[in-house]
């Protein structure tokens, strides 16, 4: 009598530890008395189907090898085994991953001073489930599409906790833009902005990944929105999403424009540039104005990570105007995350929210495709060339015969 498949495919040591010695031959495992297999493999195709899903044994991922704000110097692409999902995990084949300004803060070890290389890079991705653990199967199945916000996203495959994943209708990168960039703008303005109809809102780097959302959310409240940008193309994009006054700081003097056109000051500033731009934002605040610092990208590539800021008179300036300056870091507001994501997805589905994606199509080397393109994409974003959220296409849609 032949042994069932489960007995020959399971590791011998594991079987011995559960069943006992096999010295008596196969009868001890495959006797005439019917018994329920210890490992029920009848569900294996549902949980993790390597053949049906065309999962290879190895994959590529981006790994930080040394701490540096120079991403090309800090990280490299490695070939490693494809991870196996744990009980509550999903194995996701990435279709797109998102590029964030914070990627180089992470590679420089600024978020976690105790982190020692090597560690995985990337924060967000979207793709199809090709495997999952038993507990995770209560909510998901192979073939479902999910987006996620989890470290180690710059990989062809990633095992992520099911509870940290978001089901989405398809692997469109527009959904990816909401995970970090959209959520930052939504929660920061809602929790810290205290926006009111008729107020004036200034969004710096307004045509970027998160700035585009800050513009739209402020307009939805009924505010007058000013957006800074670096080209006429970006100014045109800002107008298309409702920005009342795009300012191309390459052709206009930002300080003079704000003083001349908004003599009463700015009620709310959504600020992500830092340095001299932050100083200007403080100076142009209105009485009871609110300035939200969501980043300071102008300094991220420096050794310290901080742009120079002349803040000696900051307390006086805030006091004189009864103004406030508050910082926002998304991981500190995760209790608001689900509501924010649900609301944004509904807005996008009903055509009330534009999620602009920049694939790098207009770059000399073309679209960002493959993990090797992550380095080009980071450079592209820091050169200030992007319109919308920068994404990298990790893999094209599957053409296999599986349900994917």
């Amino acid at each position: 009598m032949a042994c069932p498949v489960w007995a020959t495919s399971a590791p011998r040591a594991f079987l011995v530890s559960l069943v006992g010695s096999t010295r008596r031959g196969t009868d001890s495992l495959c006797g005439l008395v019917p018994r329920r297999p210890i490992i029920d493999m009848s569900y294996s195709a549902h949980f993790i189907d390597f053949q049906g899903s065309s999962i290879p044994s190895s994959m590529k991922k981006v790994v930080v090898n040394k701490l540096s704000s120079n991403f090309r110097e800090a990280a490299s692409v490695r070939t490693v085994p494809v991870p196996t999902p744990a009980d509550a995990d999903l194995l996701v084949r990435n279709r797109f991953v998102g590029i964030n300004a914070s990627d180089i803060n992470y590679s420089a070890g600024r978020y976690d001073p105790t982190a020692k290389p090597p560690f995985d890079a990337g924060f967000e991705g979207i793709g199809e489930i090709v495997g999952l653990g038993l507990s995770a199967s209560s909510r998901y199945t192979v073939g479902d599409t999910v987006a996620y916000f989890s470290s180690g996203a710059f990989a062809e495959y990633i095992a992520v906790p099911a509870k940290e994943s978001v089901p989405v209708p398809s692997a469109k990168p527009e959904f990816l833009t909401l995970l970090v960039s959209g959520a930052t703008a939504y929660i920061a303005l809602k929790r810290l902005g205290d926006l009111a109809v008729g107020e004036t809102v200034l969004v710096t780097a307004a045509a970027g990944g998160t700035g585009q959302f800050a513009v739209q959310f402020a307009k939805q409240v009924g505010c007058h929105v000013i957006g800074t940008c670096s080209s006429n193309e970006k100014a045109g994009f800002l107008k298309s999403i409702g920005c009342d006054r795009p300012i191309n700081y390459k052709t206009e003097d930002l300080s003079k424009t704000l003083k001349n056109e908004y003599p009463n000051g700015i009620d709310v500033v959504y600020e992500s540039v830092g340095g001299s731009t932050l100083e200007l934002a403080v100076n142009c605040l209105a009485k009871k104005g609110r300035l939200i610092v969501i980043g300071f990208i102008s300094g991220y590539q420096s050794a310290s990570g901080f742009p120079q800021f002349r803040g000696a008179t900051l307390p006086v300036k805030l006091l004189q105007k009864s103004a406030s300056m508050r910082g926002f870091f998304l991981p500190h507001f995760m209790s608001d995350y689900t509501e924010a994501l649900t609301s944004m997805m509904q807005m996008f589905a009903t055509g009330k929210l534009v999620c602009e994606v920049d694939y790098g199509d207009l770059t000399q080397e073309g679209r960002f495709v493959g993990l090797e393109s992550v380095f080009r994409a980071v450079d592209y974003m820091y050169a200030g060339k992007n319109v919308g959220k920068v994404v990298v296409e990790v893999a094209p849609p599957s053409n296999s015969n599986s349900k994917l």
Side-chain angles (χ1 to χ4, degrees), residues 84-90 132-138 162:
T84 299
D87 178 64
D89 289 349
L90 307 175
L132 68 169
L134 182 60
S135 296
S137 68
S138 64

Side-chain angles (χ1 to χ4, degrees), residues 35-66:
R35 64 179 65 181
R36 180 178 176 82
I38 297 170
I39 306 174
D40 187 349
M41 293 295 287
S42 63
Y43 294 97
S44 62
H46 174 73
F47 295 131
I48 185 160
D49 184 359
F50 283 90
Q51 293 182 341
S53 300
S54 302
I55 303 174
S57 60
S58 62
M59 67 171 194
K60 293 180 180 179
K61 70 176 179 180
V62 177
V63 178
V64 175
N65 306 302
K66 60 177 290 187

Side-chain angles (χ1 to χ4, degrees), residues 86-121:
D87 178 64
D89 289 349
L90 307 175
L91 180 63
V92 179
R93 176 165 56 208
N94 280 329
R95 284 284 311 286
F96 295 94
V97 293
I99 304 298
N100 292 283
S102 296
D103 286 327
I104 70 171
N105 284 333
Y106 193 57
S107 68
R110 292 170 183 153
Y111 289 151
D112 182 5
T114 65
K116 303 297 181 184
F119 54 83
D120 300 340

